[in-house]
Amino acid sequence: MKKTLFIFTCFISSFSLAQLPPNSLGLDFTVTDIEGETHNLYDILDEGKTVILDLFATWCGPCWNFAETGVLEDLQNENPDAVFCMAIEADPSTPESEIYGGGVGDWTTVIDYMMADDPSGDIADDYALAYYPTIYKICPDRMVTEVGQLSSVSAFMSEVNSCSQATYS
């Protein structure tokens, strides 16, 4: 009985962890990717690009499965002037070295766009990360909406095209 109550409590509490509400203001951040390049969110948005932010963990099987589809790589490659995809390893308890072969595998073999580690967990905290993977669309007007694991480039582009055209100068 105690075990059943514990599982039920865990199940219910998982729904109390809220993601950001749709059209929340995205907070600015700067990350250095695994290639050593620095990227600032607001600078990318100011270029008129929509950012697809994939918050993942190296040990997360569903994250790996989504990365293996290649949909975000295809989205980035087919729409470089409209979209910037970011994969952020968002578990602060996981060292960056696990990107290269910890958890479920070598993430550099399944992600071929901007990938970075968030060792402090600040991005995960700022974006109310409650589960992995969490995939957000951040429009040039800085509004954030969770889009989830969409299965095609056209589905992601439909989300991108729904962004407001307002930008900040």
Side-chain angles (χ1 to χ4, degrees), residues 12-43:
I12 295 300
S13 68
S14 70
F15 290 105
S16 66
L17 298 172
Q19 298 297 102
L20 291 177
N23 293 315
S24 296
L25 179 64
L27 298 177
D28 195 18
F29 61 84
T30 300
V31 294
T32 301
D33 68 22
I34 62 172
E35 304 294 328
E37 290 186 50
T38 301
H39 304 273
N40 176 266
L41 175 65
Y42 280 9
D43 288 347

Side-chain angles (χ1 to χ4, degrees), residues 72-129:
L72 291 184
E73 181 179 347
D74 293 345
L75 175 68
Q76 176 73 58
N77 290 338
E78 293 175 22
N79 302 281
D81 295 330
V83 177
F84 190 88
C85 295
M86 302 177 111
I88 307 290
E89 203 296 324
D91 179 1
S93 69
T94 305
E96 180 178 350
S97 61
E98 289 204 11
I99 289 173
Y100 301 97
V104 295
D106 181 350
W107 288 84
T108 63
T109 65
V110 293
I111 294 178
D112 192 28
Y113 49 91
M114 199 291 305
M115 183 171 24
D117 184 44
D118 178 23
S120 66
D122 289 345
I123 297 170
D125 290 343
D126 288 347
Y127 284 80
L129 179 65

Side-chain angles (χ1 to χ4, degrees), residues 115-163:
M115 183 171 24
D117 184 44
D118 178 23
S120 66
D122 289 345
I123 297 170
D125 290 343
D126 288 347
Y127 284 80
L129 179 65
Y131 53 85
Y132 298 101
T134 295
I135 302 167
Y136 286 117
K137 161 186 81 171
I138 309 173
C139 295
D141 66 359
R142 295 167 170 54
M143 296 295 107
V144 178
T145 300
E146 184 180 357
V147 294
Q149 300 175 58
L150 301 177
S151 61
S152 68
V153 169
S154 61
F156 273 103
M157 283 309 295
S158 181
E159 286 292 335
V160 168
N161 292 331
S162 72
C163 284

